[in-house]
Amino acid sequence: MPLYRRKPFPILEKPDDLKPEELVFQVRFTKEIFRDYREYLKRINLYRQRVWTCKSTGKSNLTYEEALVSEKQANEKVQQFPKELMEPVLRDVQFSMLPLKELVITISGKLQERLLEGTEIYGRKNNRIYPCKIVKVIEEEVEKTQYHVAWLDKDKKVTENAVVSGEDLIKKKLPFSRDVLKSFIRESTVRSVPWVLHDKLAVKYGISTNLPEELRIKLSPKRKLPKKDKEENNGGEHKRKKPNDDAKPENIEPIKYPIDDLLVKPAADDPVFTPRPPPNPEFNVPMECVGDLLMIWDFCSSYSKFLNLSPFSLDDFENAICHKDNSNILLIVESHSALLRLLIKDDGDYFIALQKKKRKLKISMVTWTDYLCDFLELISNDELSTHIPTIKRGHYSLLDIEAKINIFIELVAQVMATDIMREKLDEYIEERRELASKKRGEAIEENKKRREKKELAKAALNAKEHNDSVGNNSNDQNGNVAKELEKTSPTLKKHINSGKKQEKTSEKDVKKSKVDTDPTTANIKVSNGKGSKKLTDVEKKETNDIANIEQRKEFLEREIEKRYIRTNPLGKDRDYNRYWFFRKDSRIFVESCDHKQWRYYATKPQLDSLMGSLNEKGERERALKKQLEKRYKKISSEMQKKSKEAHMIQMEEEAALRRSTRVRAAPRDNPARAFLKYVNKLKED
């Protein structure tokens, strides 16, 4: 995407609550949608300014649309970049600290000096020039390289093999320009200091993503140079102090954390990190099906009320998918039927297809496979259509696990595209927005009350200090005046003493009257116990108010969570592995960076060890730890509950085995076969 003042510019996402009949304004070349015409004009005017830069070529002073065209043309040239040269070029680019211009010159020179296997060029043989193809590069010395070549005829057929030196080969120009190489480097990298490749490219060509040790040393904070000595010599020149080898480095510039996780290195002030526990890789379904299995189960369990489908555990769903003894397992039948019923309610293509076949609109245990086959015929998926005969014969359970999951994926995708589902999502989005607004409003009001209480307490404290200081000053002034009068007129001494006595008696009367009239002091005077009781009542009231506020927050959070939209990952670790937590399961799932491997953590000690292994100096692990801390109470309680249930089942089985070796748990009591007891209590009549 074009750069705004040489920085990435985010494109606005499509509003989630957009309605079909709503009037909006769309930018033609970015597909951005605006509800407000002024905001639309503001964005259009920005795109028309010449402040944009083509990311691929580096051309500046362009409009947004001109930058888009430039990027498109550059990308077309990049697509023509020789595939055999991609790997060596990308290896030279990875973690290079050179500026782009120098990097391009270095790579171009290197490619011209050294020829790669499979390159067709011309060589000298018997003082004549013949076409040849490099079969192998032979390394003998640092400065001289020899090549095993195959000489070709006019039809490019091999006539003879030979070993020649690099001097006997005529090197041709590179099949691309330096501008194309620049574009290729820009498109292949995510950052430039140092140059770092996209993860997919690095994995594809087997290039390491670990930062080299020598580069870590270069990127470490450097010691600042000592300032020049300001002492002058006879010639008027500044002297520099001789460096002291024994002196310790000073003024080390600290690193501003968090930074990219790959750049974080161990330091003396780091906390003690616990070893990261290995996640569990055990699943009943094939590893390539785990992600799809989680998606299907999460959808069915999260929208269970909307689908009129009683929720079921992930373990039960996985075991039911893998079961091959019975084709009419209630959990599988009800799951398919709930999704098919929703397609019928939508009055779409599926409903029309059923009407043409004169099907009844009621799905039963006997006929559910017929409706499923009608669905597979409608979507015209060649791969899934091959399973229709098996399903019609009543052998659904004999299908491969991958086939069963792919059928579920198609069903969920069709349900998500229905008008009924979209209306429900719009409703949830609006309700979540209202609840979030209410939550923010209550939080603002609570913060306002807290500020007011603090200001009142501060004002009362300042008033008390002011009164105390005023009282002390007046007493000091009265005492000083009396002393001066005694010095000037000794005859007044007796009068002053009598005045002091009267003043003391009057002060006592005033204090007595205050005590009698002030209800607060009166209450304290009557009984110290009663006063302390009042204070405890106030404290209790404040405690209750705080508890009510917390309960209100938890209630609003639960209500927001009920309006489920989608599950987002918790975050990533330093190696770009994704971490997932699903609302109705107690485990934390780990998805590898290449999306091919899945693991999970299932116990609280594993969760604690995982959190203790995350380094907050890295950007990714800092964000992941923050999300884990936010949900720690819920996740840990769910894990403990699941572990306790598993322990109880194990204890019961061991007790039964101790009573008699002939006693065996019935199939229905076996946790692995618990899915056979599933009953859909939300099923429509």
Side-chain angles (χ1 to χ4, degrees):
M1 300 298 290
L3 304 177
Y4 177 63
R5 300 188 189 278
R6 297 192 178 277
K7 292 182 180 179
F9 185 81
I11 298 298
L12 296 178
E13 295 183 0
K14 183 180 177 181
D16 294 332
D17 56 344
L18 196 63
K19 297 179 181 178
E21 67 277 4
E22 190 174 354
L23 178 63
V24 294
F25 306 94
Q26 186 179 41
V27 180
R28 171 175 50 81
F29 40 83
T30 63
K31 307 303 180 185
E32 292 174 295
I33 294 177
F34 295 86
R35 287 190 171 97
D36 188 2
Y37 184 65
R38 291 182 180 178
E39 292 294 326
Y40 166 75
L41 284 181
K42 185 178 178 182
R43 183 57 63 96
I44 282 291
N45 290 333
L46 176 62
Y47 287 149
R48 288 173 179 170
Q49 295 178 21
R50 293 192 170 275
V51 293
W52 300 92
T53 303
C54 173
K55 182 182 177 182
S56 301
T57 62
K59 293 180 182 178
S60 57
N61 298 325
L62 304 174
T63 65
Y64 189 93
E65 200 166 2
E66 288 172 349
L68 273 180
V69 173
S70 177
E71 284 188 2
K72 184 179 178 181
Q73 293 173 351
N75 290 337
E76 290 174 354
K77 292 180 180 178
V78 168
Q79 295 299 325
Q80 300 171 3
F81 194 85
K83 293 183 179 180
E84 65 273 9
L85 299 179
M86 285 185 179
E87 182 179 349
V89 169
L90 293 176
R91 288 190 181 278
D92 290 338
V93 170
Q94 181 75 313
F95 300 127
S96 173
M97 294 291 291
L98 295 175
L100 182 59
K101 186 177 180 180
E102 294 182 16
L103 181 61
V104 168
I105 294 172
T106 303
I107 292 175
S108 300
K110 190 173 180 181
L111 291 176
Q112 283 181 333
E113 288 175 4
R114 181 174 176 178
L115 301 171
L116 301 176
E117 294 178 3
T119 307
E120 294 185 5
I121 56 173
Y122 288 91
R124 295 185 182 89
K125 184 177 71 167
N126 300 327
N127 295 325
R128 297 186 66 180
I129 296 174
Y130 295 93
C132 64
K133 181 179 180 180
I134 297 175
V135 178
K136 188 177 180 181
V137 180
I138 304 172
E139 297 282 355
E140 285 191 352
E141 297 179 7
V142 178
E143 296 180 356
K144 295 182 179 180
T145 305
Q146 290 190 329
Y147 300 89
H148 182 194
V149 300
W151 300 104
L152 307 176
D153 58 11
K154 294 181 180 179
D155 299 327
K156 293 190 176 182
K157 291 182 180 180
V158 178
T159 58
E160 184 183 354
N161 292 329
V163 176
V164 298
S165 64
E167 298 173 353
D168 294 330
L169 297 176
I170 301 172
K171 298 171 183 177
K172 4 180 232 185
K173 290 184 179 180
L174 292 174
F176 54 84
S177 65
R178 289 186 178 179
D179 289 337
V180 172
L181 182 56
K182 284 182 181 179
S183 300
F184 177 71
I185 293 173
R186 286 195 182 101
E187 288 295 320
S188 305
T189 54
V190 292
R191 58 183 299 171
S192 58
V193 184
W195 293 96
V196 179
L197 299 178
H198 288 289
D199 292 335
K200 290 182 179 179
L201 279 175
V203 171
K204 181 178 178 181
Y205 292 102
I207 300 172
S208 175
T209 56
N210 296 325
L211 200 66
E213 187 62 30
E214 60 271 14
L215 193 56
R216 288 181 186 273
I217 296 170
K218 286 183 181 180
L219 293 175
S220 62
K222 296 180 180 179
R223 181 168 61 91
K224 289 184 177 179
L225 294 174
K227 293 181 179 179
K228 292 182 179 180
D229 187 15
K230 293 186 178 181
E231 295 180 359
E232 296 182 1
N233 58 5
N234 295 332
E237 295 178 354
H238 295 288
K239 287 184 178 180
R240 290 188 180 183
K241 292 182 179 180
K242 294 182 179 180
N244 186 3
D245 295 336
D246 298 331
K248 295 182 179 179
E250 298 178 356
N251 300 327
I252 296 177
E253 184 181 353
I255 302 174
K256 293 182 180 179
Y257 294 107
I259 60 175
D260 188 87
D261 298 66
L262 297 176
L263 300 178
V264 176
K265 63 177 183 177
D269 60 341
D270 283 346
V272 179
F273 296 110
T274 58
R276 188 163 302 177
N280 195 334
E282 296 177 2
F283 293 97
N284 293 334
V285 299
M287 185 59 69
E288 59 270 15
C289 299
V290 174
D292 294 331
L293 178 83
L294 290 170
M295 184 274 290
I296 297 161
W297 170 80
D298 186 42
F299 177 82
C300 292
S301 58
S302 299
Y303 292 104
S304 57
K305 288 185 179 179
F306 180 63
L307 296 170
N308 294 310
L309 181 69
S310 295
F312 41 81
S313 69
L314 178 59
D315 290 333
D316 287 349
F317 185 55
E318 186 179 14
N319 291 328
I321 285 285
C322 297
H323 191 68
K324 291 186 177 294
D325 296 338
N326 185 2
S327 292
N328 284 333
I329 301 170
L330 198 58
L331 190 151
I332 296 294
V333 173
E334 290 297 332
S335 301
H336 283 93
S337 301
L339 297 171
L340 292 170
R341 287 189 194 104
L342 194 64
L343 291 176
I344 293 172
K345 282 183 184 178
D346 188 56
D347 297 339
D349 295 337
Y350 183 65
F351 174 75
I352 295 170
L354 293 181
Q355 281 189 325
K356 288 180 179 179
K357 291 192 173 186
K358 297 182 180 180
R359 296 267 191 205
K360 294 181 180 179
L361 301 181
K362 190 172 182 180
I363 304 174
S364 66
M365 283 283 293
V366 179
T367 61
W368 74 277
T369 52
D370 296 332
Y371 291 86
L372 180 60
C373 290
D374 294 339
F375 170 78
L376 295 176
E377 290 173 359
L378 178 67
I379 61 174
S380 301
N381 186 313
D382 295 336
E383 184 179 351
L384 297 180
S385 298
T386 58
H387 305 301
I388 293 176
T390 306
I391 297 172
K392 281 185 175 180
R393 287 196 298 269
H395 300 309
Y396 170 85
S397 62
L398 299 180
L399 295 178
D400 294 336
I401 293 172
E402 188 176 356
K404 294 177 182 178
I405 288 177
N406 287 336
I407 291 171
F408 262 117
I409 289 173
E410 286 294 335
L411 274 170
V412 171
Q414 292 292 328
V415 167
M416 287 293 292
T418 59
D419 293 336
I420 300 175
M421 192 70 205
R422 288 176 181 173
E423 289 173 5
K424 193 65 179 178
L425 289 175
D426 290 341
E427 180 185 336
Y428 279 177
I429 290 168
E430 188 61 33
E431 289 175 356
R432 283 172 67 95
R433 183 177 293 174
E434 291 175 3
L435 288 167
S437 177
K438 190 179 292 185
K439 184 180 176 182
R440 284 194 300 271
E442 291 181 3
I444 292 169
E445 187 65 27
E446 180 59 27
N447 291 334
K448 185 178 178 182
K449 288 180 181 178
R450 287 178 183 173
R451 285 196 301 270
E452 289 176 354
K453 283 183 181 179
K454 286 182 181 179
E455 289 173 0
L456 287 173
K458 189 176 179 181
L461 183 64
N462 292 337
K464 184 180 178 183
E465 291 176 354
H466 178 71
N467 291 335
D468 291 344
S469 63
V470 170
N472 293 334
N473 291 335
S474 62
N475 291 336
D476 293 341
Q477 289 176 1
N478 291 336
N480 293 332
V481 171
K483 286 178 182 178
E484 291 296 329
L485 288 172
E486 286 177 15
K487 287 179 183 178
T488 55
S489 179
T491 58
L492 292 175
K493 187 175 182 181
K494 185 188 271 185
H495 180 70
I496 290 170
N497 290 335
S498 62
K500 284 183 179 178
K501 288 179 182 178
Q502 291 178 1
E503 187 178 342
K504 285 180 181 178
T505 54
S506 62
E507 285 178 1
K508 286 180 181 178
D509 295 338
V510 171
K511 287 180 180 178
K512 187 177 180 181
S513 63
K514 281 184 179 180
V515 168
D516 294 337
T517 55
D518 191 355
T520 308
T521 356
N523 291 334
I524 295 170
K525 186 177 179 182
V526 170
S527 170
N528 288 334
K530 190 175 180 181
S532 61
K533 187 179 179 182
K534 275 201 165 191
L535 288 172
T536 52
D537 290 342
V538 172
E539 290 174 358
K540 283 182 180 178
K541 186 180 178 183
E542 289 180 354
T543 306
N544 291 335
D545 290 342
I546 293 170
N548 291 334
I549 291 167
E550 292 299 324
Q551 289 176 0
R552 178 66 177 170
K553 285 181 181 177
E554 290 178 1
F555 168 76
L556 290 173
E557 286 176 0
R558 285 197 302 271
E559 290 299 313
I560 291 173
E561 191 176 351
K562 286 178 183 177
R563 279 75 176 173
Y564 168 84
I565 303 298
R566 63 177 176 270
T567 300
N568 294 318
L570 296 172
K572 301 177 183 177
D573 61 16
R574 71 185 306 275
D575 299 319
Y576 295 94
N577 298 314
R578 289 190 178 188
Y579 289 72
W580 297 83
F581 176 70
F582 300 96
R583 301 183 307 151
K584 299 184 183 293
D585 192 83
S586 60
R587 290 170 285 188
I588 291 179
F589 291 88
V590 185
E591 180 187 10
S592 63
C593 60
D594 58 359
H595 315 294
K596 293 180 180 179
Q597 298 291 324
W598 285 85
R599 305 284 189 273
Y600 63 84
Y601 295 112
T603 63
K604 185 177 179 294
Q606 286 180 329
L607 173 63
D608 294 336
S609 299
L610 170 64
M611 293 179 64
S613 69
L614 298 174
N615 193 339
E616 294 189 10
K617 290 183 177 181
E619 295 171 345
R620 292 185 294 280
E621 293 199 352
R622 183 188 184 93
L624 174 59
K625 189 171 184 179
K626 186 177 180 181
Q627 290 299 322
L628 288 172
E629 288 173 346
K630 183 179 178 181
R631 295 170 171 81
Y632 178 79
K633 186 177 178 181
K634 181 177 181 180
I635 297 173
S636 59
S637 62
E638 290 289 335
M639 285 182 170
Q640 287 177 321
K641 182 180 176 182
K642 191 73 177 288
S643 299
K644 189 175 180 181
E645 290 175 356
H647 181 68
M648 290 295 293
I649 291 170
Q650 185 180 359
M651 293 291 289
E652 289 175 2
E653 290 179 352
E654 289 177 357
L657 288 171
R658 282 196 299 269
R659 282 194 297 271
S660 172
T661 56
R662 291 175 297 173
V663 175
R664 292 289 183 271
R668 58 187 179 84
D669 296 327
N670 189 344
R673 300 174 70 86
F675 65 93
L676 295 173
K677 298 190 296 182
Y678 174 79
V679 177
N680 187 9
K681 297 178 181 179
L682 300 178
K683 183 178 178 180
E684 292 179 320
D685 296 333

